[in-house]
Amino acid sequence: MHALAQVLAVDPVPWARAQMAFTLATHIILVPLGVSWAFMTLIANYRGIRHGDADALRLAQRWSKYMAVLFAVGAVTGTVLSFEFGLLWPNFMDRFGPAFGIPFAFEGLFFFTEAIFIAIYIYGWKRLKPWAHFWSGVPIVIAGIGGSLAVVAANAWMNHPAGFRLNQAGRVVDVDPVAVIFNKAMPLQSLHMLIAAYLVGGFVVASVYATAMLRGKRDRYHRLGFLIPFTVAAVAVPIQMVVGDQLARFVYNNEPRKFAAMELVPETSRDVPETLGGWLNDDGEVVGGIPIPGLASILSDPGEGTSTKIRGLESFPADERPTNRQATIVHWAWDVMVGLGTALFLLAAWFAVVWWRRRDLPRTKWFLRAAAVAGVASVVTMEAGWVVTEVGRQPWIVVDYMLVEDAATSSSGVWVTFLGIAAIYTGVAVTTVLVLRAMRRRFDAAEDHSGNSDLSGPYSPRIRPEPVGAGTQEA
Amino acid sequence: MAEFVAATLMVGITAYAVFGGADFGAGFWDLVAGGAERGARPRSVVDHAIGPVWEANHVWLIFVLVVLWTSFSEAFGSIMLTLFVPLALAAFGIVLRGTSFAFRKEVVRLSIRRDLGVVFATSSVIVPYCFGAVAGGIASGRVPPGGTAGDPWASWINPTSILGGVLAVATCAFLAAVYMTYDAHRFAGPDMEEYFRRRALVMAIVVGTIAVVGIFVLRADAEYLYDRLTGPALPLVLASAIGGLGTLTLLTRRLHRGARVLAMGAVAAVIWAWGVAQWPYLLPTRLTVAEAAAPTATLVAVSIAFGLAVLICLPSLALLYVLDQRSLLDADTAADGQARVADADATA
């Protein structure tokens, strides 16, 4: 037993970090679909009822079923995160729970509402009246927005801790819940993530239908399945560019360590180039990369132009700033986010111009190919954004108050739970994809056989398919 | 203020036990329902019973965690630090259970449905066991406060924890059997009604026996808890026993609806008995509720969130249960779709 304990005793901090990063990175893929897919489904649902559009109704019904599966996966991966706050970072929660925890009380409220109405909406297709059913979906959208704003408020608080004071024993006192939730970083950071949810959700769903269209399924149903989510994404992209730009300037003004890492600036200077790629070596010097002269300074403060001074990493004590390697990661993540974000913007602009001129999609297959890739690309963009803000905060868990290493559990078995959770999540991810594909095939098969819309069809009394019908003709 | 928030915490735990617990118990009956053919009917009752409301039931767990880490953060940190192993196992189990249940509904192929069913059912037993063991570890004073970890193994492998774990699993199975007797009565036919009624009767006796044995376990292993359960918490303990006996009586008379209510009451009473027995401690004899409590402003914020939940979520939840009980919510499961395809095939 003792020998076993020796083998199992591994420093928990890097493993706790890895597990948190892994589970968060997984959960965040599900977030956009949880937040924005309900909205897109309601658009299709609305069209379906209002204009008697059977294709739109069929889309809405199918989407809600896929949504149900993904919501379940999102709910449990979210529950894991709640456990991990305590399991991995007990000292952080012990100390800062009374402040950091507050936004989650409200997030829980939204999540509860979402879970209730998603059940009503998903199970209500057959027997609720059409408009009553439609309205049962609206709270899902509102709760999704509220919930994501609340969660990101908690994350923003870690960047800009506010609304409390530490007493001599180091305990949180004088809590001001409003100041905790609406901390300095909250408005822009929450908005940035919320729009990302619509952007990513739109591109991901659209990419599935773009792929189907490339495979020759050019009917109205697939076209609608592409157009609704792609339009949502295309509207979100330019808004996101503006919000992102504001947020970058906020980081420049308020989180200089993170900003120095993003722009790869070791020494405080003016006329800083925007370096594309490159890295910081062990001596903290910029190596490689393509410098665009003066651009980082200009973007940081267009009013001042190239004379804008950017504070360098080395102006902070070494143990209070990201390491050189972390800074390189932040910088690359930043480049990836901005680069892919710009590419997505161009794709959306292409679509907008063509649609404006002739009310149709661009004819070339390259558009659909790009749209098919945009799903994955948008997820990568969002993940990169999270890397920027999370790695850029290192080595702090609560900036200027608590280091990550002081927050971690002393349980030496974290590497076991990390491997366990990695295996389980991999299994869940593979099964999720397989199940979604199987559902699609099943829906298709049911349609081919009954010649009817999905399953028993929305808003109809439950009837068995008539013996005389499409099936008989086929036979 | 701290008392009020501690009470809401108990409300959350009670709701999770009474609603989420029945979901776990349904998984238990799924596990022991036998082979694919023999177990098909009871399993369909299980699916139907968990159906639309299962997601909402598990939000109570999140509620409990959030109240605990916000309002009693020192207790939360200490519990998570010491009871790392069972809580990590519970988290794993929750992932496996939630996903496999959602997947199973949407999968047609029998072999895969069976595999997913095994995962779902096994984790439905592991998770409540872990929670019961955690409760036992806390109640028997094995979690030290203040950022120092207690024994990572003995804190949850001990007489009180084992009692807690076994009692939790049995109670979940009892609740589920009682609820499903009523459900089966309404939509699955008299054979299934009888099937679950018999099991409910057996489980009522099993839970009662465990509880009686438990008295001796606690006397030997958790003195503080024992003294309090036989002292100030005694009325609640007796209420729970009467509730259990009442459920038994109503089940033998086939008054399923009343049995349901009494079973809920019996479980709620035993949880409140635990709460009263621990009072004034959160971590018995070392950390009181008042010592662990967050600053008042935080408690007020949590109470406001709780108040909003009462105003918004309770009516919504009531709507969900009413729609569900009136059979206005209907799952189109994979099996249904498949049946229709098969029908169409047959007629063609």
Side-chain angles (χ1 to χ4, degrees), chain A residues 20 24 85 89 92-93 96 99-101 103-104 150-162 164 179-181 183-186 189 254-255 257-258 386 389-404 407:
Chain A
M20 196 73 203
L24 202 55
F85 282 149
W89 317 108
F92 163 53
M93 295 308 287
F96 292 103
F100 171 76
F104 290 100
V151 169
V152 184
N155 182 273
W157 181 89
M158 293 158 81
N159 289 318
H160 284 274
F164 72 101
V180 168
I181 298 173
N183 61 76
K184 218 168 155 189
M186 182 270 183
Q189 221 187 301
N254 298 287
E255 300 176 46
R257 279 172 280 211
K258 191 179 280 177
W386 271 98
T389 192
E390 293 293 284
V391 182
R393 195 187 57 238
Q394 303 301 319
W396 301 100
I397 194 163
V398 184
V399 171
D400 290 335
Y401 283 95
M402 186 181 245
L403 293 169
V404 170

Short mmCIF file of all heavy atoms in Angstrom, two decimals, chain A residues 20 24 85 89 92-93 96 99-101 103-104 150-162 164 179-181 183-186 189 254-255 257-258 386 389-404 407:
data_model
loop_
_atom_site.label_atom_id
_atom_site.label_comp_id
_atom_site.label_asym_id
_atom_site.label_seq_id
_atom_site.Cartn_x
_atom_site.Cartn_y
_atom_site.Cartn_z
N MET A 20 -8.07 20.82 -15.86
CA MET A 20 -8.98 21.96 -15.98
C MET A 20 -9.02 22.44 -17.42
O MET A 20 -10.09 22.70 -17.98
CB MET A 20 -8.51 23.09 -15.06
CG MET A 20 -9.56 24.15 -14.80
SD MET A 20 -10.82 23.49 -13.68
CE MET A 20 -12.19 24.57 -14.07
N LEU A 24 -12.34 22.14 -19.70
CA LEU A 24 -12.92 23.42 -20.12
C LEU A 24 -12.91 23.53 -21.64
O LEU A 24 -13.89 23.96 -22.25
CB LEU A 24 -12.10 24.56 -19.49
CG LEU A 24 -12.77 25.92 -19.36
CD1 LEU A 24 -14.07 25.81 -18.61
CD2 LEU A 24 -11.84 26.87 -18.62
N PHE A 85 -13.90 22.80 -9.68
CA PHE A 85 -13.55 24.00 -8.90
C PHE A 85 -13.06 23.58 -7.52
O PHE A 85 -12.08 24.09 -7.00
CB PHE A 85 -14.78 24.90 -8.74
CG PHE A 85 -15.09 25.72 -9.95
CD1 PHE A 85 -16.39 26.07 -10.24
CD2 PHE A 85 -14.09 26.15 -10.80
CE1 PHE A 85 -16.69 26.83 -11.35
CE2 PHE A 85 -14.39 26.92 -11.92
CZ PHE A 85 -15.69 27.25 -12.19
N TRP A 89 -9.13 22.92 -7.21
CA TRP A 89 -8.70 24.22 -6.65
C TRP A 89 -9.39 24.50 -5.32
O TRP A 89 -10.00 25.55 -5.14
CB TRP A 89 -9.00 25.34 -7.66
CG TRP A 89 -8.66 24.98 -9.06
CD1 TRP A 89 -9.52 24.70 -10.07
CD2 TRP A 89 -7.34 24.82 -9.61
NE1 TRP A 89 -8.83 24.37 -11.22
CE2 TRP A 89 -7.49 24.43 -10.97
CE3 TRP A 89 -6.05 24.95 -9.10
CZ2 TRP A 89 -6.40 24.18 -11.80
CZ3 TRP A 89 -4.96 24.70 -9.93
CH2 TRP A 89 -5.15 24.33 -11.26
N PHE A 92 -8.50 27.84 -3.59
CA PHE A 92 -9.07 29.00 -4.29
C PHE A 92 -10.53 29.18 -3.87
O PHE A 92 -10.96 30.28 -3.50
CB PHE A 92 -8.94 28.76 -5.80
CG PHE A 92 -9.80 29.61 -6.67
CD1 PHE A 92 -9.81 30.99 -6.55
CD2 PHE A 92 -10.61 29.03 -7.65
CE1 PHE A 92 -10.60 31.77 -7.39
CE2 PHE A 92 -11.40 29.79 -8.47
CZ PHE A 92 -11.40 31.16 -8.34
N MET A 93 -11.30 28.07 -3.89
CA MET A 93 -12.71 28.18 -3.56
C MET A 93 -12.89 28.50 -2.08
O MET A 93 -13.76 29.29 -1.71
CB MET A 93 -13.43 26.87 -3.91
CG MET A 93 -13.45 26.56 -5.39
SD MET A 93 -14.06 27.90 -6.43
CE MET A 93 -15.80 27.84 -6.04
N PHE A 96 -11.87 32.31 -1.94
CA PHE A 96 -12.56 33.32 -2.73
C PHE A 96 -14.00 32.95 -3.12
O PHE A 96 -14.67 33.73 -3.78
CB PHE A 96 -11.75 33.64 -4.00
CG PHE A 96 -10.47 34.35 -3.70
CD1 PHE A 96 -9.25 33.68 -3.73
CD2 PHE A 96 -10.48 35.69 -3.36
CE1 PHE A 96 -8.07 34.33 -3.44
CE2 PHE A 96 -9.31 36.35 -3.06
CZ PHE A 96 -8.09 35.67 -3.10
N ALA A 99 -16.85 35.48 -3.04
CA ALA A 99 -16.92 36.51 -4.08
C ALA A 99 -17.07 35.86 -5.46
O ALA A 99 -18.05 36.07 -6.17
CB ALA A 99 -15.67 37.39 -4.04
N PHE A 100 -16.11 35.04 -5.80
CA PHE A 100 -16.09 34.39 -7.12
C PHE A 100 -17.36 33.58 -7.37
O PHE A 100 -17.84 33.48 -8.50
CB PHE A 100 -14.86 33.48 -7.17
CG PHE A 100 -14.79 32.56 -8.37
CD1 PHE A 100 -14.44 33.07 -9.62
CD2 PHE A 100 -15.06 31.21 -8.25
CE1 PHE A 100 -14.37 32.23 -10.72
CE2 PHE A 100 -14.99 30.37 -9.35
CZ PHE A 100 -14.65 30.87 -10.59
N GLY A 101 -17.91 33.00 -6.30
CA GLY A 101 -19.05 32.10 -6.46
C GLY A 101 -20.35 32.80 -6.82
O GLY A 101 -21.25 32.17 -7.38
N PRO A 103 -21.54 34.99 -9.12
CA PRO A 103 -22.15 34.91 -10.47
C PRO A 103 -22.76 33.54 -10.75
O PRO A 103 -23.75 33.44 -11.48
CB PRO A 103 -20.98 35.18 -11.42
CG PRO A 103 -19.98 35.93 -10.60
CD PRO A 103 -20.15 35.44 -9.20
N PHE A 104 -22.18 32.49 -10.14
CA PHE A 104 -22.69 31.15 -10.41
C PHE A 104 -24.07 30.92 -9.80
O PHE A 104 -24.83 30.08 -10.27
CB PHE A 104 -21.71 30.09 -9.91
CG PHE A 104 -20.46 30.04 -10.73
CD1 PHE A 104 -19.30 30.65 -10.30
CD2 PHE A 104 -20.45 29.39 -11.96
CE1 PHE A 104 -18.15 30.62 -11.06
CE2 PHE A 104 -19.31 29.35 -12.72
CZ PHE A 104 -18.15 29.97 -12.28
N ALA A 150 -23.29 35.30 -17.14
CA ALA A 150 -22.94 35.10 -15.73
C ALA A 150 -21.64 34.31 -15.56
O ALA A 150 -20.80 34.66 -14.75
CB ALA A 150 -24.09 34.39 -15.01
N VAL A 151 -21.49 33.25 -16.34
CA VAL A 151 -20.27 32.45 -16.22
C VAL A 151 -19.04 33.27 -16.57
O VAL A 151 -18.02 33.24 -15.87
CB VAL A 151 -20.32 31.20 -17.11
CG1 VAL A 151 -18.97 30.53 -17.16
CG2 VAL A 151 -21.35 30.22 -16.59
N VAL A 152 -19.15 34.02 -17.66
CA VAL A 152 -17.98 34.79 -18.07
C VAL A 152 -17.71 35.92 -17.09
O VAL A 152 -16.57 36.33 -16.90
CB VAL A 152 -18.13 35.30 -19.52
CG1 VAL A 152 -16.87 36.02 -19.98
CG2 VAL A 152 -18.41 34.13 -20.46
N ALA A 153 -18.77 36.39 -16.40
CA ALA A 153 -18.55 37.40 -15.36
C ALA A 153 -17.60 36.85 -14.29
O ALA A 153 -16.72 37.55 -13.80
CB ALA A 153 -19.88 37.80 -14.72
N ALA A 154 -17.78 35.56 -13.94
CA ALA A 154 -16.90 34.94 -12.95
C ALA A 154 -15.47 34.87 -13.48
O ALA A 154 -14.51 35.14 -12.76
CB ALA A 154 -17.41 33.55 -12.60
N ASN A 155 -15.33 34.50 -14.75
CA ASN A 155 -13.98 34.45 -15.32
C ASN A 155 -13.36 35.84 -15.37
O ASN A 155 -12.17 36.02 -15.06
CB ASN A 155 -14.03 33.83 -16.72
CG ASN A 155 -12.64 33.72 -17.33
OD1 ASN A 155 -12.16 34.65 -17.95
ND2 ASN A 155 -11.97 32.60 -17.09
N ALA A 156 -14.17 36.83 -15.76
CA ALA A 156 -13.66 38.20 -15.83
C ALA A 156 -13.20 38.67 -14.45
O ALA A 156 -12.21 39.40 -14.32
CB ALA A 156 -14.74 39.13 -16.38
N TRP A 157 -13.91 38.20 -13.42
CA TRP A 157 -13.54 38.57 -12.04
C TRP A 157 -12.14 38.06 -11.70
O TRP A 157 -11.40 38.71 -10.95
CB TRP A 157 -14.58 38.00 -11.07
CG TRP A 157 -14.31 38.35 -9.65
CD1 TRP A 157 -14.74 39.46 -8.98
CD2 TRP A 157 -13.53 37.59 -8.72
NE1 TRP A 157 -14.28 39.43 -7.69
CE2 TRP A 157 -13.54 38.29 -7.49
CE3 TRP A 157 -12.84 36.38 -8.79
CZ2 TRP A 157 -12.87 37.84 -6.36
CZ3 TRP A 157 -12.18 35.91 -7.66
CH2 TRP A 157 -12.19 36.65 -6.46
N MET A 158 -11.77 36.90 -12.23
CA MET A 158 -10.42 36.38 -11.97
C MET A 158 -9.36 37.31 -12.59
O MET A 158 -8.25 37.42 -12.08
CB MET A 158 -10.26 34.97 -12.54
CG MET A 158 -11.13 33.94 -11.82
SD MET A 158 -11.45 32.48 -12.83
CE MET A 158 -9.94 31.57 -12.59
N ASN A 159 -9.73 37.95 -13.70
CA ASN A 159 -8.82 38.92 -14.31
C ASN A 159 -8.83 40.25 -13.59
O ASN A 159 -7.80 40.92 -13.47
CB ASN A 159 -9.21 39.15 -15.78
CG ASN A 159 -8.90 37.96 -16.66
OD1 ASN A 159 -7.84 37.34 -16.52
ND2 ASN A 159 -9.81 37.63 -17.54
N HIS A 160 -10.03 40.64 -13.14
CA HIS A 160 -10.18 41.93 -12.46
C HIS A 160 -10.95 41.75 -11.17
O HIS A 160 -12.11 42.16 -11.07
CB HIS A 160 -10.88 42.94 -13.37
CG HIS A 160 -9.97 43.47 -14.41
ND1 HIS A 160 -9.13 44.53 -14.23
CD2 HIS A 160 -9.73 43.01 -15.65
CE1 HIS A 160 -8.41 44.72 -15.31
NE2 HIS A 160 -8.75 43.81 -16.20
N PRO A 161 -10.34 41.10 -10.16
CA PRO A 161 -11.04 40.86 -8.91
C PRO A 161 -11.51 42.18 -8.29
O PRO A 161 -10.74 43.13 -8.19
CB PRO A 161 -9.99 40.17 -8.02
CG PRO A 161 -8.68 40.39 -8.70
CD PRO A 161 -8.95 40.61 -10.14
N ALA A 162 -12.80 42.21 -7.93
CA ALA A 162 -13.38 43.44 -7.37
C ALA A 162 -14.51 43.07 -6.44
O ALA A 162 -14.93 41.91 -6.39
CB ALA A 162 -13.91 44.32 -8.51
N PHE A 164 -14.66 43.15 -3.02
CA PHE A 164 -14.37 42.50 -1.75
C PHE A 164 -13.09 43.11 -1.17
O PHE A 164 -12.42 43.93 -1.80
CB PHE A 164 -14.16 40.99 -1.94
CG PHE A 164 -12.84 40.67 -2.64
CD1 PHE A 164 -11.75 40.24 -1.91
CD2 PHE A 164 -12.70 40.85 -4.01
CE1 PHE A 164 -10.54 39.97 -2.53
CE2 PHE A 164 -11.50 40.58 -4.63
CZ PHE A 164 -10.40 40.14 -3.89
N ALA A 179 -20.63 44.65 -7.49
CA ALA A 179 -19.28 44.95 -7.98
C ALA A 179 -18.53 43.68 -8.40
O ALA A 179 -17.68 43.71 -9.28
CB ALA A 179 -18.48 45.70 -6.92
N VAL A 180 -18.86 42.58 -7.76
CA VAL A 180 -18.25 41.30 -8.16
C VAL A 180 -18.71 40.93 -9.56
O VAL A 180 -17.91 40.64 -10.45
CB VAL A 180 -18.62 40.16 -7.17
CG1 VAL A 180 -18.24 38.81 -7.75
CG2 VAL A 180 -17.92 40.36 -5.83
N ILE A 181 -20.04 40.94 -9.76
CA ILE A 181 -20.58 40.50 -11.04
C ILE A 181 -20.20 41.48 -12.15
O ILE A 181 -19.70 41.09 -13.20
CB ILE A 181 -22.12 40.36 -10.97
CG1 ILE A 181 -22.49 39.29 -9.93
CG2 ILE A 181 -22.71 40.01 -12.33
CD1 ILE A 181 -23.97 39.19 -9.64
N ASN A 183 -17.78 43.42 -12.66
CA ASN A 183 -16.40 43.88 -12.52
C ASN A 183 -15.96 44.53 -13.82
O ASN A 183 -16.65 44.45 -14.85
CB ASN A 183 -15.50 42.72 -12.12
CG ASN A 183 -15.50 41.62 -13.17
OD1 ASN A 183 -14.87 41.74 -14.21
ND2 ASN A 183 -16.24 40.55 -12.91
N LYS A 184 -14.79 45.14 -13.77
CA LYS A 184 -14.33 45.96 -14.89
C LYS A 184 -14.26 45.20 -16.22
O LYS A 184 -14.60 45.73 -17.27
CB LYS A 184 -12.92 46.46 -14.54
CG LYS A 184 -12.64 47.86 -14.98
CD LYS A 184 -11.35 48.31 -14.30
CE LYS A 184 -10.66 49.39 -15.08
NZ LYS A 184 -9.31 49.65 -14.53
N ALA A 185 -13.83 43.94 -16.16
CA ALA A 185 -13.64 43.20 -17.41
C ALA A 185 -14.92 42.55 -17.90
O ALA A 185 -15.00 42.08 -19.03
CB ALA A 185 -12.56 42.13 -17.20
N MET A 186 -15.95 42.52 -17.03
CA MET A 186 -17.14 41.75 -17.35
C MET A 186 -17.87 42.18 -18.62
O MET A 186 -18.15 41.33 -19.47
CB MET A 186 -18.09 41.76 -16.14
CG MET A 186 -19.35 40.95 -16.31
SD MET A 186 -20.68 41.94 -17.00
CE MET A 186 -22.03 40.80 -17.01
N GLN A 189 -15.81 41.26 -21.89
CA GLN A 189 -15.46 39.84 -21.96
C GLN A 189 -16.71 38.97 -22.14
O GLN A 189 -16.73 38.04 -22.95
CB GLN A 189 -14.71 39.43 -20.70
CG GLN A 189 -13.55 38.49 -20.99
CD GLN A 189 -12.91 37.95 -19.72
OE1 GLN A 189 -12.44 38.71 -18.90
NE2 GLN A 189 -12.88 36.65 -19.59
N ASN A 254 -5.64 47.73 -19.30
CA ASN A 254 -5.89 47.20 -17.96
C ASN A 254 -5.17 45.91 -17.61
O ASN A 254 -5.09 45.56 -16.45
CB ASN A 254 -7.39 46.99 -17.77
CG ASN A 254 -8.16 48.29 -17.88
OD1 ASN A 254 -8.10 49.12 -16.99
ND2 ASN A 254 -8.82 48.47 -19.00
N GLU A 255 -4.73 45.16 -18.61
CA GLU A 255 -4.02 43.91 -18.33
C GLU A 255 -2.71 43.90 -19.11
O GLU A 255 -2.53 43.11 -20.03
CB GLU A 255 -4.89 42.70 -18.71
CG GLU A 255 -6.21 42.62 -17.97
CD GLU A 255 -7.09 41.45 -18.43
OE1 GLU A 255 -6.56 40.34 -18.57
OE2 GLU A 255 -8.27 41.67 -18.69
N ARG A 257 0.25 42.83 -18.67
CA ARG A 257 1.04 41.59 -18.75
C ARG A 257 0.53 40.72 -19.89
O ARG A 257 1.29 40.19 -20.70
CB ARG A 257 0.95 40.81 -17.44
CG ARG A 257 1.87 41.33 -16.37
CD ARG A 257 1.57 40.64 -15.07
NE ARG A 257 0.40 41.26 -14.44
CZ ARG A 257 0.22 41.34 -13.12
NH1 ARG A 257 1.10 40.81 -12.30
NH2 ARG A 257 -0.82 41.92 -12.61
N LYS A 258 -0.81 40.56 -19.89
CA LYS A 258 -1.42 39.75 -20.93
C LYS A 258 -1.17 40.36 -22.30
O LYS A 258 -0.86 39.67 -23.27
CB LYS A 258 -2.93 39.65 -20.67
CG LYS A 258 -3.65 38.63 -21.51
CD LYS A 258 -5.14 38.58 -21.16
CE LYS A 258 -5.39 37.75 -19.92
NZ LYS A 258 -6.82 37.74 -19.53
N TRP A 386 -9.77 31.62 -25.85
CA TRP A 386 -9.72 31.22 -24.46
C TRP A 386 -8.29 31.00 -24.00
O TRP A 386 -7.96 31.30 -22.85
CB TRP A 386 -10.57 29.97 -24.21
CG TRP A 386 -11.94 30.40 -23.87
CD1 TRP A 386 -13.00 30.45 -24.73
CD2 TRP A 386 -12.38 30.93 -22.63
NE1 TRP A 386 -14.08 30.98 -24.08
CE2 TRP A 386 -13.73 31.28 -22.80
CE3 TRP A 386 -11.77 31.14 -21.40
CZ2 TRP A 386 -14.49 31.83 -21.76
CZ3 TRP A 386 -12.53 31.69 -20.38
CH2 TRP A 386 -13.86 32.03 -20.57
N THR A 389 -6.83 34.41 -23.05
CA THR A 389 -7.21 34.99 -21.77
C THR A 389 -6.77 34.12 -20.58
O THR A 389 -6.40 34.65 -19.53
CB THR A 389 -8.73 35.30 -21.71
OG1 THR A 389 -8.98 36.11 -20.56
CG2 THR A 389 -9.58 34.04 -21.60
N GLU A 390 -6.78 32.79 -20.75
CA GLU A 390 -6.43 31.92 -19.61
C GLU A 390 -4.92 31.81 -19.40
O GLU A 390 -4.43 31.99 -18.29
CB GLU A 390 -7.02 30.52 -19.82
CG GLU A 390 -8.54 30.47 -19.77
CD GLU A 390 -9.07 30.78 -18.39
OE1 GLU A 390 -9.00 29.91 -17.52
OE2 GLU A 390 -9.53 31.91 -18.17
N VAL A 391 -4.19 31.51 -20.47
CA VAL A 391 -2.73 31.41 -20.32
C VAL A 391 -2.15 32.81 -20.06
O VAL A 391 -1.20 32.96 -19.31
CB VAL A 391 -2.09 30.76 -21.57
CG1 VAL A 391 -0.58 30.63 -21.40
CG2 VAL A 391 -2.70 29.39 -21.83
N GLY A 392 -2.78 33.81 -20.65
CA GLY A 392 -2.30 35.18 -20.45
C GLY A 392 -2.44 35.64 -19.01
O GLY A 392 -1.82 36.61 -18.60
N ARG A 393 -3.31 34.97 -18.22
CA ARG A 393 -3.50 35.36 -16.83
C ARG A 393 -2.42 34.75 -15.93
O ARG A 393 -2.24 35.16 -14.78
CB ARG A 393 -4.88 34.91 -16.35
CG ARG A 393 -5.34 35.56 -15.05
CD ARG A 393 -6.63 34.95 -14.55
NE ARG A 393 -6.51 33.53 -14.36
CZ ARG A 393 -7.27 32.61 -14.94
NH1 ARG A 393 -8.23 32.99 -15.77
NH2 ARG A 393 -7.09 31.33 -14.73
N GLN A 394 -1.74 33.73 -16.42
CA GLN A 394 -0.74 33.02 -15.61
C GLN A 394 0.32 33.99 -15.09
O GLN A 394 0.61 34.97 -15.74
CB GLN A 394 -0.08 31.90 -16.42
CG GLN A 394 -1.07 30.90 -16.97
CD GLN A 394 -1.89 30.22 -15.89
OE1 GLN A 394 -1.37 29.85 -14.85
NE2 GLN A 394 -3.19 30.08 -16.13
N PRO A 395 0.90 33.72 -13.95
CA PRO A 395 0.72 32.56 -13.06
C PRO A 395 -0.41 32.73 -12.05
O PRO A 395 -0.46 31.98 -11.08
CB PRO A 395 2.06 32.52 -12.34
CG PRO A 395 2.43 33.96 -12.19
CD PRO A 395 1.91 34.65 -13.42
N TRP A 396 -1.32 33.68 -12.29
CA TRP A 396 -2.35 33.99 -11.31
C TRP A 396 -3.62 33.19 -11.56
O TRP A 396 -4.01 32.98 -12.71
CB TRP A 396 -2.72 35.48 -11.35
CG TRP A 396 -1.57 36.38 -11.08
CD1 TRP A 396 -0.83 37.05 -12.00
CD2 TRP A 396 -1.02 36.70 -9.81
NE1 TRP A 396 0.15 37.78 -11.38
CE2 TRP A 396 0.06 37.59 -10.03
CE3 TRP A 396 -1.34 36.33 -8.50
CZ2 TRP A 396 0.82 38.09 -8.98
CZ3 TRP A 396 -0.58 36.84 -7.47
CH2 TRP A 396 0.49 37.72 -7.70
N ILE A 397 -4.30 32.81 -10.48
CA ILE A 397 -5.67 32.33 -10.62
C ILE A 397 -6.61 33.49 -10.33
O ILE A 397 -7.64 33.65 -10.98
CB ILE A 397 -5.95 31.09 -9.72
CG1 ILE A 397 -7.25 30.41 -10.15
CG2 ILE A 397 -5.98 31.44 -8.24
CD1 ILE A 397 -7.40 28.99 -9.62
N VAL A 398 -6.24 34.32 -9.35
CA VAL A 398 -6.92 35.60 -9.12
C VAL A 398 -5.83 36.65 -9.20
O VAL A 398 -4.94 36.71 -8.35
CB VAL A 398 -7.59 35.65 -7.73
CG1 VAL A 398 -8.36 36.96 -7.58
CG2 VAL A 398 -8.50 34.46 -7.52
N VAL A 399 -5.88 37.46 -10.24
CA VAL A 399 -4.76 38.35 -10.54
C VAL A 399 -4.40 39.21 -9.32
O VAL A 399 -5.26 39.86 -8.72
CB VAL A 399 -5.09 39.24 -11.76
CG1 VAL A 399 -4.02 40.32 -11.94
CG2 VAL A 399 -5.15 38.37 -13.01
N ASP A 400 -3.14 39.16 -8.97
CA ASP A 400 -2.55 39.90 -7.86
C ASP A 400 -2.99 39.42 -6.47
O ASP A 400 -2.58 39.99 -5.46
CB ASP A 400 -2.84 41.41 -7.97
CG ASP A 400 -2.05 42.03 -9.13
OD1 ASP A 400 -1.00 41.47 -9.49
OD2 ASP A 400 -2.52 43.05 -9.67
N TYR A 401 -3.82 38.37 -6.40
CA TYR A 401 -4.27 37.88 -5.09
C TYR A 401 -3.82 36.44 -4.81
O TYR A 401 -3.46 36.11 -3.70
CB TYR A 401 -5.79 37.96 -4.95
CG TYR A 401 -6.29 39.33 -4.68
CD1 TYR A 401 -6.73 40.15 -5.71
CD2 TYR A 401 -6.32 39.82 -3.38
CE1 TYR A 401 -7.20 41.44 -5.46
CE2 TYR A 401 -6.79 41.11 -3.11
CZ TYR A 401 -7.22 41.91 -4.16
OH TYR A 401 -7.68 43.17 -3.90
N MET A 402 -3.91 35.57 -5.83
CA MET A 402 -3.59 34.18 -5.57
C MET A 402 -2.97 33.53 -6.79
O MET A 402 -3.46 33.69 -7.92
CB MET A 402 -4.85 33.40 -5.17
CG MET A 402 -4.57 31.97 -4.73
SD MET A 402 -6.09 31.09 -4.29
CE MET A 402 -5.81 30.81 -2.55
N LEU A 403 -1.87 32.80 -6.54
CA LEU A 403 -1.20 32.08 -7.62
C LEU A 403 -1.88 30.73 -7.85
O LEU A 403 -2.42 30.13 -6.92
CB LEU A 403 0.26 31.84 -7.27
CG LEU A 403 1.14 33.09 -7.17
CD1 LEU A 403 2.50 32.74 -6.57
CD2 LEU A 403 1.32 33.73 -8.56
N VAL A 404 -1.83 30.27 -9.08
CA VAL A 404 -2.43 28.99 -9.43
C VAL A 404 -1.89 27.88 -8.53
O VAL A 404 -2.62 27.05 -8.02
CB VAL A 404 -2.18 28.65 -10.92
CG1 VAL A 404 -2.58 27.22 -11.22
CG2 VAL A 404 -2.93 29.62 -11.81
N ALA A 407 -3.42 27.58 -5.24
CA ALA A 407 -4.85 27.27 -5.25
C ALA A 407 -5.11 25.78 -5.34
O ALA A 407 -6.17 25.30 -4.96
CB ALA A 407 -5.52 27.97 -6.44
#
